[in-house]
Amino acid sequence: MAEIVRRVKGTRDFYPDQMAIRRWMFDIIRRVSTRFGYQEYDGPCLEFIDLYAAKSGEELVKEQSFVFTSRGGEDLTLRPELTPTLARMVAQKQYDLPLPLRWWSIGPMWRYEKPQRGRTREFFQWNIDLVGAGSVAADAEIVAVAATFLKEAGLSPDQVRIYVNNRRLMDAAFARLEISKDLGKQVFRVVDKLDKLSEPAWRKYALESGLTETQVDALLELLNDNDLWQESEELVEFFKLLAAFGIQDYVQYNPRVIRGLDYYTGTVFEAFELGGQGRAIFGGGRYDNLVADVGGNALSGVGFAMGDVVIELVLTDAGVIPANLGEKPQVLVTVFDEATLPESLKAAVRLREAGLRTVVYPEADKMGKQFKFADKLDIPVAVILGPDEVKAGQAAVKNLKTREQVVAARADLVSEVEKFLPSAL
RNA sequence: GUGCCUGUAGCUCAACGGCAGAGCGCUGCACUGUGGAUGCAGAGGUUGAGGGUUCGAAACCGUCCAGGCACCCCA
């Protein structure tokens, strides 16, 4: 086996079992997105590096992107995120598109990181955005989409929670603590660290970041104030509207959620596992200058992105991924010998015309071997067409789970097979 | 990018510096019109790669590759 060329680091093979899980997750994403009236879009996987230079964090482009020079000498990158592509697509047709836009997408992204559990170099990301609507209702709708996804995937409010905060509220609160504007971004980082460090370590980090002792004390008090949202008209309105969507159990105010990215301007939110690893599942928020950054007019939007890797781990740990996913064959038509092969093929045609997923054993072989094959593929029903059945114009239908077997007239073949099929399939 | 841990059969793992093994899985037979059980037999390895130490290395040492964990950063 040593000579098999290995997989590229950080990429994944999707064998049928894994592919079935991916398909299942993507179907939920599609269902939820389209149910809220969002339309699917996509852009190229290859982009000029310049597209990201405008907006994405320095780190994302310089350290975490797959960059290369094309044969024509162009500096290209495999897209590390979709938002800049979205911004360009909107800017290009800004006056043709009926606002607000409700767009969603799922596709591969690449980041040159060190792979470990929950993090690969090639991953899929669900992006969903409401562009051109600046209202609190728009914020609530996007969060409702996110919560509906969690619900549809089978996760309960006991297992996951979407934490919401507001950048403007926090800016105002920081101003009251007389934290200078220059320190703004750094303070966001300090807040972000709170749950990741021990309190002494966090305090040390906060002081090193330029805060005074009294500011650190006040900040800590602020970040434990779960009623802070009541000072924000926007958040009060937000939670009022959210209740109308009927998913408010999934959503909670949390002053510690702030998001690392610079471009968020209002509502920010992030979903976490409550038990287990406490993993971050997705994050998003409102941005105001998205389209302007790539040369269009200012347009406000709200959206979020979710990677497929972590959510799959969360769903697996929660035990909510159904067994027997995937469209496995339902019927095996056995092949008795060369002479009866055409009859087996004809029977298969009838079964397929009835919409049944039908496999014909590829050659005449011992019945035992053919049943064994069906067993391994978890095919529930076998059809036998030996010389006796062919002569009588019949077919034997065997339930491989119960070993029950009936002889059916050829015209009744499909209905007899369907009787043995589990309704769930 | 940094630190730590781990790489042995398809899978999960054994083997004191001294003959590379087990379970599961796989193939065949018992079983020429009926499977999962059982029994018997068989195939399958350059011990991740290439060096070094040693009479002797899967084991010890350093290098590379790959995976895991923690940082970093984030999805």
Side-chain angles (χ1 to χ4, degrees):
Chain A
M1 300 295 278
E3 72 273 16
I4 293 177
V5 177
R6 68 172 183 276
R7 219 172 55 231
V8 172
K9 185 172 184 162
T11 63
R12 292 167 293 169
D13 294 324
F14 290 88
Y15 287 85
D17 286 348
Q18 282 97 47
M19 192 64 210
I21 292 170
R22 177 173 135 191
R23 181 84 270 145
W24 173 76
M25 290 197 306
F26 286 14
D27 283 350
I28 296 170
I29 287 168
R30 168 179 299 274
R31 201 193 314 142
V32 171
S33 301
T34 56
R35 191 184 295 162
F36 276 82
Y38 287 66
Q39 293 179 291
E40 189 174 15
Y41 73 100
D42 203 356
C45 298
L46 289 173
E47 295 278 12
F48 288 111
I49 289 175
D50 299 347
L51 180 67
Y52 304 96
K55 189 192 64 61
S56 303
E58 292 272 296
E59 170 108 12
L60 194 60
V61 182
K62 287 186 179 163
E63 310 287 342
Q64 296 187 341
S65 292
F66 280 83
V67 298
F68 58 94
T69 305
S70 75
R71 289 173 192 272
E74 300 163 310
D75 290 324
L76 303 181
T77 178
L78 286 166
R79 60 181 184 190
E81 60 165 338
L82 193 61
T83 307
T85 300
L86 168 67
R88 188 195 61 232
M89 288 171 67
V90 172
Q92 282 168 0
K93 295 204 169 203
Q94 192 160 356
Y95 301 108
D96 295 335
L97 297 167
L99 299 177
L101 300 173
R102 286 183 168 85
W103 284 7
W104 72 279
S105 184
I106 189 159
M109 311 286 156
W110 292 265
R111 290 188 190 176
Y112 198 84
E113 297 199 81
K114 187 157 181 175
Q116 50 190 271
R117 180 165 292 274
R119 182 184 295 178
T120 57
R121 287 183 171 181
E122 181 180 63
F123 58 96
F124 289 89
Q125 195 183 58
W126 175 31
N127 279 259
I128 184 160
D129 288 274
L130 208 176
V131 180
S135 66
V136 174
D139 293 4
E141 177 177 304
I142 278 289
V143 171
V145 170
T148 303
F149 167 78
L150 296 173
K151 191 177 178 182
E152 290 279 315
L155 296 169
S156 72
D158 296 335
Q159 294 170 303
V160 288
R161 196 64 53 85
I162 302 171
Y163 293 126
V164 178
N165 199 359
N166 188 293
R167 280 270 176 101
R168 269 189 288 275
L169 170 64
M170 298 312 281
D171 281 336
F174 293 160
R176 278 208 302 278
L177 303 183
E178 295 181 340
I179 294 171
S180 75
K181 275 263 189 229
D182 302 342
L183 234 49
K185 283 180 189 174
Q186 187 58 32
V187 174
F188 286 163
R189 279 174 181 271
V190 170
V191 172
D192 196 50
K193 288 273 186 228
L194 182 56
D195 291 323
K196 296 172 183 172
L197 299 174
S198 66
E199 191 171 323
W202 178 76
R203 184 172 287 274
K204 185 161 172 276
Y205 179 77
L207 292 172
E208 282 169 0
S209 299
L211 296 172
T212 66
E213 286 277 2
T214 44
Q215 282 174 332
V216 172
D217 289 337
L219 186 58
L220 197 56
E221 192 182 338
L222 187 72
L223 296 176
N224 282 312
D225 181 4
N226 289 327
D227 293 323
L228 190 64
W229 62 280
Q230 290 170 359
E231 294 177 16
S232 161
E233 275 179 40
E234 273 183 56
L235 280 172
V236 170
E237 172 81 358
F238 173 86
F239 281 107
K240 196 179 102 193
L241 293 176
L242 202 64
F245 286 97
I247 40 72
Q248 67 272 29
D249 289 350
Y250 285 93
V251 188
Q252 191 178 333
Y253 176 71
N254 187 328
R256 302 178 183 202
V257 166
I258 202 94
R259 305 286 297 151
L261 284 93
D262 296 341
Y263 55 71
Y264 291 116
T265 51
T267 302
V268 288
F269 57 93
E270 199 160 4
F272 290 92
E273 250 185 321
L274 290 185
Q277 313 279 316
R279 288 174 280 226
I281 301 169
F282 57 72
R286 170 160 297 280
Y287 43 83
D288 281 333
N289 302 316
L290 175 75
V291 178
D293 286 344
V294 293
N297 289 338
L299 206 51
S300 180
V302 59
F304 70 89
M306 180 184 80
D308 72 310
V309 183
V310 170
I311 185 65
E312 185 180 334
L313 290 174
V314 171
L315 293 169
T316 301
D317 289 353
V320 296
I321 298 177
N324 297 318
L325 286 171
E327 303 190 317
K328 290 179 185 166
Q330 296 165 295
V331 189
L332 175 76
V333 178
T334 59
V335 176
F336 191 81
D337 57 25
E338 293 296 327
T340 60
L341 175 58
E343 293 301 323
S344 290
L345 296 177
K346 282 187 214 165
V349 169
R350 279 199 299 280
L351 291 164
R352 288 176 189 134
E353 282 172 348
L356 298 173
R357 299 188 293 272
T358 306
V359 171
V360 178
Y361 200 82
E363 60 199 354
D365 208 333
K366 286 188 283 196
M367 282 298 119
K369 214 173 160 186
Q370 299 191 39
F371 288 135
K372 206 169 190 171
F373 173 77
D375 198 47
K376 274 178 197 160
L377 265 68
D378 205 29
I379 300 173
V381 179
V383 171
I384 302 106
L385 286 147
D388 298 345
E389 286 85 358
V390 170
K391 208 173 298 172
Q394 295 174 322
V397 180
K398 184 180 173 81
N399 183 333
L400 291 169
K401 305 290 177 194
T402 64
R403 293 171 180 262
E404 187 184 348
Q405 185 168 324
V406 298
V407 176
R410 202 157 295 181
D412 300 331
L413 175 62
V414 170
S415 61
E416 290 299 327
V417 167
E418 283 173 341
K419 279 184 197 167
F420 284 148
L421 287 176
S423 51
L425 293 174

